[in-house]
Amino acid sequence: MYMHELNMTSFTDFAQRVDTVLIPIGMIEAHGPHCSLSTDILIPREFVRRLNPLIGDRVLMAPEIPYGHSFGLAPFAGTIDIPGEVFGAYVFEVAKAYLKQGMQNVVLFNGHGGNMSSLSLVSEKLADHGATVLTINWWVDYRAEIVKYAPVTGHAGEDETSAVLAIDPALVDMRLGVSNHTITTPSNLKMKDMGKQSYPQAYSGHAGAATAEKGEQIYTALLPKIIADIEQMWKYSR
Ligand SMILES: [Zn+2]
């Protein structure tokens, strides 16, 4: 059930039966020259659109948190970078407010790599408040499945670009000539504006190989895995 479709009366009724909230979390960020700045929230939104008919009777689909933190892509046009501490504190307070409204289980459905360290801390804090928390970083958690369809994954790479093409081909401009970029900077280094070196054109992976068909295959393959992870959370839930 989408939160935005409820009123106070129907929410009260729903919250008596359902104790799980899913919060989609993303980022507004440069995704290569070709892919939407909103890629990292468009994809969680699309997963929710497909999950809602399947498990929407057991999960409250909360409105999205579209802004996040990006160290690596902050130097590029279109990135709206929020400090990780501020972002994490905000997500925590949003989720805590759902706990006050009767939710017990929280799914943080994340679409953006730069959010991961903050969300890890948020999930621990929420757990300390008594919640059971499942954090889904879809492109990491299900990579073994994703590479069957889009082998050269990356930031705005074959996987993400395909997933956006499957939503709407108008959100991607494949004429901009993206090909394949491999990150060579050491992953254990941090330097100011190092994203310019790591991602010369604000993408990595084989963006040029993306297709809407691959994106459709990714959504179809991942939905049952996401549902299985949510059902596993319910087994552990207090
Ligand atoms: Zn992304």
Side-chain angles (χ1 to χ4, degrees), residues 116-146:
M116 288 170 65
S117 50
S118 300
L119 293 180
S120 175
L121 298 175
V122 168
S123 65
E124 291 177 2
K125 268 178 83 177
L126 288 169
D128 278 342
H129 272 70
T132 303
V133 186
L134 168 66
T135 307
I136 294 177
N137 299 299
W138 69 270
W139 74 103
V140 177
D141 297 354
Y142 311 114
R143 186 167 289 157
E145 191 69 21
I146 290 167

PDB file of all heavy atoms in Angstrom, residues 116-146:
ATOM      1  N   MET A 116      25.634   4.285   1.463  1.00  0.00           N
ATOM      2  CA  MET A 116      25.708   3.009   2.183  1.00  0.00           C
ATOM      3  C   MET A 116      26.310   3.127   3.586  1.00  0.00           C
ATOM      4  O   MET A 116      25.806   2.527   4.529  1.00  0.00           O
ATOM      5  CB  MET A 116      26.491   1.984   1.353  1.00  0.00           C
ATOM      6  CG  MET A 116      25.695   1.507   0.146  1.00  0.00           C
ATOM      7  SD  MET A 116      26.661   0.528  -1.018  1.00  0.00           S
ATOM      8  CE  MET A 116      27.046  -0.898  -0.042  1.00  0.00           C
ATOM      9  N   SER A 117      27.400   3.904   3.716  1.00  0.00           N
ATOM     10  CA  SER A 117      28.030   3.966   5.046  1.00  0.00           C
ATOM     11  C   SER A 117      27.098   4.658   6.041  1.00  0.00           C
ATOM     12  O   SER A 117      26.993   4.236   7.201  1.00  0.00           O
ATOM     13  CB  SER A 117      29.395   4.651   4.980  1.00  0.00           C
ATOM     14  OG  SER A 117      29.312   5.865   4.288  1.00  0.00           O
ATOM     15  N   SER A 118      26.389   5.723   5.604  1.00  0.00           N
ATOM     16  CA  SER A 118      25.443   6.392   6.500  1.00  0.00           C
ATOM     17  C   SER A 118      24.305   5.442   6.881  1.00  0.00           C
ATOM     18  O   SER A 118      23.905   5.377   8.053  1.00  0.00           O
ATOM     19  CB  SER A 118      24.845   7.634   5.830  1.00  0.00           C
ATOM     20  OG  SER A 118      25.845   8.549   5.487  1.00  0.00           O
ATOM     21  N   LEU A 119      23.793   4.706   5.906  1.00  0.00           N
ATOM     22  CA  LEU A 119      22.642   3.834   6.179  1.00  0.00           C
ATOM     23  C   LEU A 119      23.013   2.673   7.092  1.00  0.00           C
ATOM     24  O   LEU A 119      22.169   2.171   7.847  1.00  0.00           O
ATOM     25  CB  LEU A 119      22.042   3.322   4.869  1.00  0.00           C
ATOM     26  CG  LEU A 119      21.378   4.396   4.000  1.00  0.00           C
ATOM     27  CD1 LEU A 119      20.808   3.773   2.718  1.00  0.00           C
ATOM     28  CD2 LEU A 119      20.280   5.141   4.761  1.00  0.00           C
ATOM     29  N   SER A 120      24.275   2.262   7.034  1.00  0.00           N
ATOM     30  CA  SER A 120      24.715   1.216   7.946  1.00  0.00           C
ATOM     31  C   SER A 120      24.590   1.696   9.393  1.00  0.00           C
ATOM     32  O   SER A 120      24.097   0.971  10.278  1.00  0.00           O
ATOM     33  CB  SER A 120      26.160   0.840   7.607  1.00  0.00           C
ATOM     34  OG  SER A 120      26.649  -0.087   8.530  1.00  0.00           O
ATOM     35  N   LEU A 121      25.019   2.943   9.632  1.00  0.00           N
ATOM     36  CA  LEU A 121      24.894   3.508  10.987  1.00  0.00           C
ATOM     37  C   LEU A 121      23.429   3.695  11.361  1.00  0.00           C
ATOM     38  O   LEU A 121      23.026   3.427  12.505  1.00  0.00           O
ATOM     39  CB  LEU A 121      25.627   4.855  11.063  1.00  0.00           C
ATOM     40  CG  LEU A 121      27.142   4.817  10.809  1.00  0.00           C
ATOM     41  CD1 LEU A 121      27.710   6.228  10.785  1.00  0.00           C
ATOM     42  CD2 LEU A 121      27.835   3.994  11.888  1.00  0.00           C
ATOM     43  N   VAL A 122      22.616   4.157  10.407  1.00  0.00           N
ATOM     44  CA  VAL A 122      21.183   4.367  10.661  1.00  0.00           C
ATOM     45  C   VAL A 122      20.516   3.049  11.065  1.00  0.00           C
ATOM     46  O   VAL A 122      19.731   3.001  12.018  1.00  0.00           O
ATOM     47  CB  VAL A 122      20.492   4.949   9.400  1.00  0.00           C
ATOM     48  CG1 VAL A 122      18.982   4.904   9.537  1.00  0.00           C
ATOM     49  CG2 VAL A 122      20.958   6.378   9.157  1.00  0.00           C
ATOM     50  N   SER A 123      20.860   1.987  10.358  1.00  0.00           N
ATOM     51  CA  SER A 123      20.210   0.702  10.649  1.00  0.00           C
ATOM     52  C   SER A 123      20.558   0.230  12.065  1.00  0.00           C
ATOM     53  O   SER A 123      19.704  -0.318  12.775  1.00  0.00           O
ATOM     54  CB  SER A 123      20.594  -0.351   9.602  1.00  0.00           C
ATOM     55  OG  SER A 123      21.975  -0.631   9.673  1.00  0.00           O
ATOM     56  N   GLU A 124      21.800   0.474  12.491  1.00  0.00           N
ATOM     57  CA  GLU A 124      22.183   0.073  13.857  1.00  0.00           C
ATOM     58  C   GLU A 124      21.443   0.901  14.902  1.00  0.00           C
ATOM     59  O   GLU A 124      20.981   0.372  15.921  1.00  0.00           O
ATOM     60  CB  GLU A 124      23.703   0.207  14.031  1.00  0.00           C
ATOM     61  CG  GLU A 124      24.480  -0.823  13.219  1.00  0.00           C
ATOM     62  CD  GLU A 124      25.989  -0.641  13.325  1.00  0.00           C
ATOM     63  OE1 GLU A 124      26.443   0.254  14.063  1.00  0.00           O
ATOM     64  OE2 GLU A 124      26.714  -1.402  12.652  1.00  0.00           O
ATOM     65  N   LYS A 125      21.312   2.203  14.627  1.00  0.00           N
ATOM     66  CA  LYS A 125      20.593   3.065  15.575  1.00  0.00           C
ATOM     67  C   LYS A 125      19.118   2.673  15.671  1.00  0.00           C
ATOM     68  O   LYS A 125      18.525   2.659  16.755  1.00  0.00           O
ATOM     69  CB  LYS A 125      20.700   4.537  15.137  1.00  0.00           C
ATOM     70  CG  LYS A 125      21.874   5.277  15.752  1.00  0.00           C
ATOM     71  CD  LYS A 125      21.966   6.701  15.242  1.00  0.00           C
ATOM     72  CE  LYS A 125      21.050   7.654  15.986  1.00  0.00           C
ATOM     73  NZ  LYS A 125      21.207   9.049  15.515  1.00  0.00           N
ATOM     74  N   LEU A 126      18.522   2.371  14.533  1.00  0.00           N
ATOM     75  CA  LEU A 126      17.110   1.959  14.539  1.00  0.00           C
ATOM     76  C   LEU A 126      16.940   0.631  15.275  1.00  0.00           C
ATOM     77  O   LEU A 126      15.967   0.438  16.011  1.00  0.00           O
ATOM     78  CB  LEU A 126      16.578   1.838  13.108  1.00  0.00           C
ATOM     79  CG  LEU A 126      16.373   3.160  12.367  1.00  0.00           C
ATOM     80  CD1 LEU A 126      16.104   2.899  10.887  1.00  0.00           C
ATOM     81  CD2 LEU A 126      15.219   3.959  12.984  1.00  0.00           C
ATOM     82  N   ALA A 127      17.903  -0.268  15.075  1.00  0.00           N
ATOM     83  CA  ALA A 127      17.845  -1.552  15.782  1.00  0.00           C
ATOM     84  C   ALA A 127      17.937  -1.327  17.284  1.00  0.00           C
ATOM     85  O   ALA A 127      17.227  -1.968  18.072  1.00  0.00           O
ATOM     86  CB  ALA A 127      18.967  -2.467  15.299  1.00  0.00           C
ATOM     87  N   ASP A 128      18.781  -0.377  17.694  1.00  0.00           N
ATOM     88  CA  ASP A 128      18.886  -0.045  19.127  1.00  0.00           C
ATOM     89  C   ASP A 128      17.576   0.521  19.667  1.00  0.00           C
ATOM     90  O   ASP A 128      17.321   0.460  20.870  1.00  0.00           O
ATOM     91  CB  ASP A 128      20.025   0.955  19.360  1.00  0.00           C
ATOM     92  CG  ASP A 128      21.379   0.261  19.442  1.00  0.00           C
ATOM     93  OD1 ASP A 128      21.400  -0.963  19.653  1.00  0.00           O
ATOM     94  OD2 ASP A 128      22.405   0.951  19.282  1.00  0.00           O
ATOM     95  N   HIS A 129      16.772   1.101  18.764  1.00  0.00           N
ATOM     96  CA  HIS A 129      15.455   1.602  19.162  1.00  0.00           C
ATOM     97  C   HIS A 129      14.386   0.508  19.111  1.00  0.00           C
ATOM     98  O   HIS A 129      13.204   0.802  19.248  1.00  0.00           O
ATOM     99  CB  HIS A 129      15.041   2.775  18.267  1.00  0.00           C
ATOM    100  CG  HIS A 129      15.520   4.104  18.778  1.00  0.00           C
ATOM    101  ND1 HIS A 129      16.849   4.465  18.773  1.00  0.00           N
ATOM    102  CD2 HIS A 129      14.845   5.142  19.331  1.00  0.00           C
ATOM    103  CE1 HIS A 129      16.973   5.682  19.290  1.00  0.00           C
ATOM    104  NE2 HIS A 129      15.778   6.106  19.644  1.00  0.00           N
ATOM    105  N   GLY A 130      14.799  -0.713  18.831  1.00  0.00           N
ATOM    106  CA  GLY A 130      13.856  -1.832  18.868  1.00  0.00           C
ATOM    107  C   GLY A 130      13.339  -2.301  17.528  1.00  0.00           C
ATOM    108  O   GLY A 130      12.593  -3.276  17.451  1.00  0.00           O
ATOM    109  N   ALA A 131      13.723  -1.613  16.454  1.00  0.00           N
ATOM    110  CA  ALA A 131      13.236  -2.010  15.130  1.00  0.00           C
ATOM    111  C   ALA A 131      14.038  -3.182  14.575  1.00  0.00           C
ATOM    112  O   ALA A 131      15.185  -3.409  14.970  1.00  0.00           O
ATOM    113  CB  ALA A 131      13.335  -0.824  14.173  1.00  0.00           C
ATOM    114  N   THR A 132      13.419  -3.901  13.659  1.00  0.00           N
ATOM    115  CA  THR A 132      14.150  -4.846  12.829  1.00  0.00           C
ATOM    116  C   THR A 132      14.338  -4.165  11.478  1.00  0.00           C
ATOM    117  O   THR A 132      13.368  -3.679  10.887  1.00  0.00           O
ATOM    118  CB  THR A 132      13.363  -6.160  12.666  1.00  0.00           C
ATOM    119  OG1 THR A 132      13.113  -6.684  13.973  1.00  0.00           O
ATOM    120  CG2 THR A 132      14.141  -7.170  11.848  1.00  0.00           C
ATOM    121  N   VAL A 133      15.581  -4.109  11.015  1.00  0.00           N
ATOM    122  CA  VAL A 133      15.896  -3.287   9.840  1.00  0.00           C
ATOM    123  C   VAL A 133      16.540  -4.146   8.761  1.00  0.00           C
ATOM    124  O   VAL A 133      17.514  -4.855   9.018  1.00  0.00           O
ATOM    125  CB  VAL A 133      16.855  -2.135  10.211  1.00  0.00           C
ATOM    126  CG1 VAL A 133      17.048  -1.200   9.022  1.00  0.00           C
ATOM    127  CG2 VAL A 133      16.330  -1.362  11.414  1.00  0.00           C
ATOM    128  N   LEU A 134      15.989  -4.049   7.561  1.00  0.00           N
ATOM    129  CA  LEU A 134      16.592  -4.674   6.379  1.00  0.00           C
ATOM    130  C   LEU A 134      17.055  -3.552   5.458  1.00  0.00           C
ATOM    131  O   LEU A 134      16.244  -2.726   5.034  1.00  0.00           O
ATOM    132  CB  LEU A 134      15.556  -5.547   5.657  1.00  0.00           C
ATOM    133  CG  LEU A 134      15.938  -6.033   4.256  1.00  0.00           C
ATOM    134  CD1 LEU A 134      17.130  -7.000   4.315  1.00  0.00           C
ATOM    135  CD2 LEU A 134      14.738  -6.715   3.585  1.00  0.00           C
ATOM    136  N   THR A 135      18.360  -3.519   5.178  1.00  0.00           N
ATOM    137  CA  THR A 135      18.880  -2.546   4.214  1.00  0.00           C
ATOM    138  C   THR A 135      19.134  -3.274   2.905  1.00  0.00           C
ATOM    139  O   THR A 135      19.855  -4.277   2.876  1.00  0.00           O
ATOM    140  CB  THR A 135      20.186  -1.913   4.721  1.00  0.00           C
ATOM    141  OG1 THR A 135      19.955  -1.387   6.033  1.00  0.00           O
ATOM    142  CG2 THR A 135      20.628  -0.781   3.803  1.00  0.00           C
ATOM    143  N   ILE A 136      18.520  -2.776   1.837  1.00  0.00           N
ATOM    144  CA  ILE A 136      18.720  -3.370   0.514  1.00  0.00           C
ATOM    145  C   ILE A 136      19.507  -2.383  -0.341  1.00  0.00           C
ATOM    146  O   ILE A 136      19.055  -1.269  -0.585  1.00  0.00           O
ATOM    147  CB  ILE A 136      17.370  -3.702  -0.155  1.00  0.00           C
ATOM    148  CG1 ILE A 136      16.658  -4.812   0.630  1.00  0.00           C
ATOM    149  CG2 ILE A 136      17.585  -4.109  -1.622  1.00  0.00           C
ATOM    150  CD1 ILE A 136      15.289  -5.177   0.098  1.00  0.00           C
ATOM    151  N   ASN A 137      20.705  -2.783  -0.744  1.00  0.00           N
ATOM    152  CA  ASN A 137      21.487  -2.054  -1.752  1.00  0.00           C
ATOM    153  C   ASN A 137      21.408  -2.928  -3.010  1.00  0.00           C
ATOM    154  O   ASN A 137      22.231  -3.821  -3.193  1.00  0.00           O
ATOM    155  CB  ASN A 137      22.933  -1.872  -1.280  1.00  0.00           C
ATOM    156  CG  ASN A 137      23.013  -1.074   0.009  1.00  0.00           C
ATOM    157  OD1 ASN A 137      22.600   0.079   0.063  1.00  0.00           O
ATOM    158  ND2 ASN A 137      23.529  -1.697   1.064  1.00  0.00           N
ATOM    159  N   TRP A 138      20.410  -2.659  -3.833  1.00  0.00           N
ATOM    160  CA  TRP A 138      19.990  -3.650  -4.834  1.00  0.00           C
ATOM    161  C   TRP A 138      21.117  -4.087  -5.765  1.00  0.00           C
ATOM    162  O   TRP A 138      21.243  -5.263  -6.079  1.00  0.00           O
ATOM    163  CB  TRP A 138      18.781  -3.134  -5.643  1.00  0.00           C
ATOM    164  CG  TRP A 138      19.096  -1.986  -6.559  1.00  0.00           C
ATOM    165  CD1 TRP A 138      19.037  -0.660  -6.256  1.00  0.00           C
ATOM    166  CD2 TRP A 138      19.544  -2.063  -7.918  1.00  0.00           C
ATOM    167  NE1 TRP A 138      19.426   0.093  -7.342  1.00  0.00           N
ATOM    168  CE2 TRP A 138      19.732  -0.737  -8.371  1.00  0.00           C
ATOM    169  CE3 TRP A 138      19.806  -3.111  -8.815  1.00  0.00           C
ATOM    170  CZ2 TRP A 138      20.174  -0.443  -9.667  1.00  0.00           C
ATOM    171  CZ3 TRP A 138      20.245  -2.814 -10.093  1.00  0.00           C
ATOM    172  CH2 TRP A 138      20.419  -1.493 -10.506  1.00  0.00           C
ATOM    173  N   TRP A 139      21.977  -3.135  -6.208  1.00  0.00           N
ATOM    174  CA  TRP A 139      23.016  -3.467  -7.193  1.00  0.00           C
ATOM    175  C   TRP A 139      24.176  -4.233  -6.564  1.00  0.00           C
ATOM    176  O   TRP A 139      24.958  -4.868  -7.262  1.00  0.00           O
ATOM    177  CB  TRP A 139      23.490  -2.183  -7.880  1.00  0.00           C
ATOM    178  CG  TRP A 139      24.349  -1.339  -7.000  1.00  0.00           C
ATOM    179  CD1 TRP A 139      25.704  -1.219  -7.051  1.00  0.00           C
ATOM    180  CD2 TRP A 139      23.914  -0.526  -5.890  1.00  0.00           C
ATOM    181  NE1 TRP A 139      26.132  -0.390  -6.045  1.00  0.00           N
ATOM    182  CE2 TRP A 139      25.063   0.054  -5.327  1.00  0.00           C
ATOM    183  CE3 TRP A 139      22.671  -0.245  -5.319  1.00  0.00           C
ATOM    184  CZ2 TRP A 139      25.003   0.902  -4.208  1.00  0.00           C
ATOM    185  CZ3 TRP A 139      22.615   0.603  -4.221  1.00  0.00           C
ATOM    186  CH2 TRP A 139      23.753   1.167  -3.687  1.00  0.00           C
ATOM    187  N   VAL A 140      24.287  -4.189  -5.218  1.00  0.00           N
ATOM    188  CA  VAL A 140      25.328  -4.938  -4.511  1.00  0.00           C
ATOM    189  C   VAL A 140      24.775  -6.298  -4.065  1.00  0.00           C
ATOM    190  O   VAL A 140      25.371  -7.349  -4.335  1.00  0.00           O
ATOM    191  CB  VAL A 140      25.819  -4.159  -3.268  1.00  0.00           C
ATOM    192  CG1 VAL A 140      26.848  -4.989  -2.500  1.00  0.00           C
ATOM    193  CG2 VAL A 140      26.396  -2.823  -3.671  1.00  0.00           C
ATOM    194  N   ASP A 141      23.619  -6.268  -3.396  1.00  0.00           N
ATOM    195  CA  ASP A 141      23.074  -7.475  -2.773  1.00  0.00           C
ATOM    196  C   ASP A 141      22.768  -8.574  -3.802  1.00  0.00           C
ATOM    197  O   ASP A 141      22.859  -9.753  -3.488  1.00  0.00           O
ATOM    198  CB  ASP A 141      21.781  -7.144  -2.018  1.00  0.00           C
ATOM    199  CG  ASP A 141      22.017  -6.170  -0.880  1.00  0.00           C
ATOM    200  OD1 ASP A 141      23.183  -5.838  -0.606  1.00  0.00           O
ATOM    201  OD2 ASP A 141      21.025  -5.727  -0.266  1.00  0.00           O
ATOM    202  N   TYR A 142      22.370  -8.146  -4.993  1.00  0.00           N
ATOM    203  CA  TYR A 142      21.917  -9.120  -6.002  1.00  0.00           C
ATOM    204  C   TYR A 142      22.831  -9.126  -7.227  1.00  0.00           C
ATOM    205  O   TYR A 142      22.403  -9.481  -8.327  1.00  0.00           O
ATOM    206  CB  TYR A 142      20.462  -8.815  -6.384  1.00  0.00           C
ATOM    207  CG  TYR A 142      19.573  -8.646  -5.176  1.00  0.00           C
ATOM    208  CD1 TYR A 142      18.982  -7.426  -4.873  1.00  0.00           C
ATOM    209  CD2 TYR A 142      19.360  -9.716  -4.299  1.00  0.00           C
ATOM    210  CE1 TYR A 142      18.195  -7.264  -3.745  1.00  0.00           C
ATOM    211  CE2 TYR A 142      18.578  -9.564  -3.164  1.00  0.00           C
ATOM    212  CZ  TYR A 142      17.997  -8.333  -2.894  1.00  0.00           C
ATOM    213  OH  TYR A 142      17.226  -8.180  -1.768  1.00  0.00           O
ATOM    214  N   ARG A 143      24.101  -8.747  -7.007  1.00  0.00           N
ATOM    215  CA  ARG A 143      25.017  -8.628  -8.152  1.00  0.00           C
ATOM    216  C   ARG A 143      25.189  -9.960  -8.877  1.00  0.00           C
ATOM    217  O   ARG A 143      25.270 -10.001 -10.111  1.00  0.00           O
ATOM    218  CB  ARG A 143      26.373  -8.091  -7.692  1.00  0.00           C
ATOM    219  CG  ARG A 143      27.319  -7.820  -8.862  1.00  0.00           C
ATOM    220  CD  ARG A 143      28.518  -7.002  -8.446  1.00  0.00           C
ATOM    221  NE  ARG A 143      28.148  -5.632  -8.163  1.00  0.00           N
ATOM    222  CZ  ARG A 143      28.858  -4.819  -7.369  1.00  0.00           C
ATOM    223  NH1 ARG A 143      29.951  -5.251  -6.797  1.00  0.00           N
ATOM    224  NH2 ARG A 143      28.463  -3.578  -7.162  1.00  0.00           N
ATOM    225  N   ALA A 144      25.229 -11.066  -8.118  1.00  0.00           N
ATOM    226  CA  ALA A 144      25.430 -12.370  -8.759  1.00  0.00           C
ATOM    227  C   ALA A 144      24.322 -12.646  -9.776  1.00  0.00           C
ATOM    228  O   ALA A 144      24.560 -13.286 -10.816  1.00  0.00           O
ATOM    229  CB  ALA A 144      25.460 -13.474  -7.696  1.00  0.00           C
ATOM    230  N   GLU A 145      23.128 -12.170  -9.498  1.00  0.00           N
ATOM    231  CA  GLU A 145      22.011 -12.346 -10.426  1.00  0.00           C
ATOM    232  C   GLU A 145      22.098 -11.320 -11.564  1.00  0.00           C
ATOM    233  O   GLU A 145      21.881 -11.641 -12.739  1.00  0.00           O
ATOM    234  CB  GLU A 145      20.694 -12.165  -9.655  1.00  0.00           C
ATOM    235  CG  GLU A 145      19.458 -12.564 -10.401  1.00  0.00           C
ATOM    236  CD  GLU A 145      19.365 -14.068 -10.628  1.00  0.00           C
ATOM    237  OE1 GLU A 145      20.016 -14.836  -9.897  1.00  0.00           O
ATOM    238  OE2 GLU A 145      18.652 -14.466 -11.574  1.00  0.00           O
ATOM    239  N   ILE A 146      22.429 -10.080 -11.219  1.00  0.00           N
ATOM    240  CA  ILE A 146      22.447  -8.979 -12.197  1.00  0.00           C
ATOM    241  C   ILE A 146      23.437  -9.257 -13.328  1.00  0.00           C
ATOM    242  O   ILE A 146      23.140  -9.018 -14.502  1.00  0.00           O
ATOM    243  CB  ILE A 146      22.797  -7.658 -11.476  1.00  0.00           C
ATOM    244  CG1 ILE A 146      21.633  -7.232 -10.568  1.00  0.00           C
ATOM    245  CG2 ILE A 146      23.119  -6.553 -12.469  1.00  0.00           C
ATOM    246  CD1 ILE A 146      21.984  -6.123  -9.579  1.00  0.00           C
TER     247      ILE A 146
END
